[in-house]
Amino acid sequence: MKKALITGITGQDGSYLAELLLSKGYEVHGIIRRASTFNTSRIDHLYNDPHVHGTRLFLHYGDLADSSQLTKLLYSLRPDEIYNLGAQSHVRVSFDVPEYTGDVTGLSTVRLLEAIRESGLTQDVRFYQASSSEMFGKVHEVPQVETTPFHPRSPYGCAKVFSYWLTVNYREAYKLHASNGILFNHESPRRGETFVTRKITRAATRIKMGLQNELFLGNLDARRDWGYAKEYVEVMWLMLQQEKADDYVCATNETHTIREFCEECFGLLDLDWKQYVKHDARYERPSEVELLIGDPAKLKRQIGWEPKVKFKELVRIMTNADLELARRELAYQNTRTGNGSGVTPP
C-alpha cells in the first residue's frame, strides 16, 4: 500500500485528490491547521466513512509555517508521495496580505523540501508542487506553454514563481523526483465562494430562488482558461507515476471572459445576467492578468492526458450543484418561518 501526504487536504484540490488516492488503494495522510471551528467540510464524507477513517485516512494537526513539525512528521510517516497543495491561494487577497502570502505560499515550499532532505527521503519520495498559471501574469506569448517566461502580476504569482524554481532546484541539486504542475484555473462545486466562478454560480442560483437580489463583480473582461478540478487532480497523480520528474502545463486550451461565465450561468437559469450583475471597484486588482490560455500538448504527448470537461459543461456542473444548494437553503428558511415541511438544514 502506497502512502501519500497531502498539504491543503481540506481545500478543493486536496479533497478531490484524497478521494482519487483512496480509490487507488493508498494510505492518505493530510495536514490540517488547528482552529476553533472545523473546516473539514470537503472531506467529512471521507472522514466519517468507517472503512476509510482510521484505516487509510489520517489527519495531522500542523502548519506550513512550522518547519520542525514538518520534519518530525516526515520522519514518522516516511511517505512515498507528497503533494504540496497548501497555500494562501486567493490572488486578490494576496495584495492585502503580501507578507503572509509569501510566507505560506512561497517559504512553505522551502520548509517542506528541506524537511524531505533532512529526513533522508530525497531518493525515496516523489514530490508534487502546485504551481499556477498566475506565474505567467502579463503573458509573453499566447497560448502559454512550459517554456513561456514568467511575469507574475500579484504577490501570489510571485510566491508561486519562487516555489516553482525551488522545486526545480531541489530536483537538480539533490536528484529529488520533484515535479511542477502548472495548473490553469480549475473549478468545481467545491470551489471557495470568494473565488469568482463560484461567486457567480452561488449568487445566480440564489437570485433564481429569491434569496439574493444582485451580484457585485470587478473586471468582467479578464480571460481565463477554466477546467474541472476533479479531472485536474488526476494529472497530479500521473506526474508522480512517471519515471522522470518534469514540469507540465495543465489546461483546456480555451479562454473565456468572466462576462461569458456570467452569460452562461445566468442563461442556464433563464435569467438575464445584465439585470443583476453590478460593478464594484473594490474587486479590481491593482495589476490585472488579462489573458490566460494554456496549451497542454506536452502533457498529452508524454503522459497521455487531456481534459474531457470543457467550459460549458463545467458551468453546468457548478450551476446545478449550487441550484440544489439554494433550494435546500430556501426550504430551510421556510421551515424556520413555518412556510414549509421539515427539511434538514444545508
Side-chain angles (χ1 to χ4, degrees), residues 70 74 97 121 142 167 252 262 292:
L70 290 174
L74 294 193
V97 288
L121 290 173
V142 178
T167 301
T252 69
C262 288
L292 290 176

Side-chain angles (χ1 to χ4, degrees), residues 44 66 77 145 177 255 266 282 286 327 343:
D44 280 347
D66 187 347
L77 295 180
V145 295
H177 192 294
T255 188
F266 279 82
R282 291 178 300 173
R327 284 172 175 154
V343 178

Side-chain angles (χ1 to χ4, degrees), residues 51-337:
H51 300 293
V52 173
H53 176 225
T55 59
R56 291 198 295 122
L57 176 64
F58 304 87
L59 301 181
H60 307 268
Y61 283 122
D63 197 304
L64 289 174
D66 187 347
S67 57
S68 62
Q69 195 271 342
L70 290 174
T71 303
K72 290 177 184 177
L73 189 59
L74 294 193
Y75 264 118
S76 172
L77 295 180
R78 318 293 296 181
D80 300 288
E81 298 171 2
I82 297 174
Y83 298 85
N84 185 28
L85 312 184
Q88 190 299 101
S89 58
H90 199 288
V91 178
R92 177 62 189 85
V93 171
S94 76
F95 285 99
D96 300 324
V97 288
E99 182 179 344
Y100 175 75
T101 301
D103 186 29
V104 175
T105 306
L107 287 176
S108 63
T109 308
V110 180
R111 299 184 185 107
L112 198 48
L113 288 168
E114 272 298 282
I116 290 172
R117 192 176 67 85
E118 291 181 15
S119 58
L121 290 173
T122 309
Q123 304 306 312
D124 302 319
V125 74
R126 297 188 173 194
F127 178 81
Y128 172 86
Q129 170 59 29
S131 290
S132 169
S133 59
E134 287 288 331
M135 300 188 303
F136 295 122
K138 188 176 182 180
V139 299
H140 290 224
E141 62 182 355
V142 178
Q144 293 86 57
V145 295
E146 291 79 6
T147 55
T148 301
F150 298 140
H151 190 150
R153 300 267 283 172
S154 66
Y156 170 78
C158 292
K160 282 295 186 181
V161 170
F162 178 71
S163 291
Y164 173 93
W165 283 116
L166 271 168
T167 301
V168 173
N169 181 248
Y170 273 68
R171 180 169 73 216
E172 296 175 349
Y174 302 111
K175 311 306 178 187
L176 174 66
H177 192 294
S179 298
N180 282 291
I182 309 174
L183 271 59
F184 280 62
N185 293 65
H186 45 290
E187 319 297 316
S188 76
R190 296 183 190 176
R191 189 59 140 155
E193 293 183 19
T194 60
F195 290 84
V196 68
T197 53
R198 185 76 197 289
K199 186 176 179 181
I200 293 168
T201 59
R202 188 81 175 97
T205 52
R206 294 186 83 249
I207 289 170
K208 181 69 174 180
M209 292 290 101
L211 296 165
Q212 186 171 329
N213 296 320
E214 52 194 0
L215 166 63
F216 292 95
L217 295 174
N219 180 15
L220 297 179
D221 295 317
R223 304 184 69 89
R224 294 292 183 269
D225 184 324
W226 280 299
Y228 186 27
K230 190 173 183 178
E231 286 189 331
Y232 279 28
V233 298
E234 184 184 16
V235 172
M236 303 176 188
W237 176 76
L238 285 169
M239 287 172 62
L240 296 199
Q241 310 317 303
Q242 305 307 302
E243 182 178 347
K244 182 181 177 182
D246 206 344
D247 309 314
Y248 299 90
V249 160
C250 179
T252 69
N253 206 18
E254 290 184 8
T255 188
H256 298 273
T257 63
I258 294 172
R259 179 179 282 101
E260 287 178 78
F261 199 103
C262 288
E263 290 173 351
E264 187 67 25
C265 174
F266 279 82
L268 287 170
L269 300 167
D270 295 320
L271 297 174
D272 180 0
W273 70 276
K274 295 178 183 178
Q275 295 182 19
Y276 306 99
V277 177
K278 314 295 182 185
H279 178 263
D280 190 330
R282 291 178 300 173
Y283 297 117
E284 299 274 2
R285 299 180 186 178
S287 54
E288 181 62 85
V289 174
E290 298 293 349
L291 170 63
L292 290 176
I293 177 172
D295 183 356
K298 178 182 175 181
L299 189 60
K300 181 179 180 180
R301 183 175 65 251
Q302 294 188 195
I303 296 181
W305 182 94
E306 58 182 328
K308 298 180 180 66
V309 175
K310 296 297 183 73
F311 177 72
K312 288 181 179 292
E313 176 66 8
L314 174 64
V315 179
R316 186 192 65 79
I317 289 170
M318 295 181 65
T319 302
N320 286 346
D322 274 334
L323 183 59
E324 177 59 28
L325 188 62
R327 284 172 175 154
R328 291 167 58 197
E329 183 182 356
L330 178 61
Y332 180 58
Q333 284 193 11
N334 287 339
T335 63
R336 297 290 298 271
T337 59

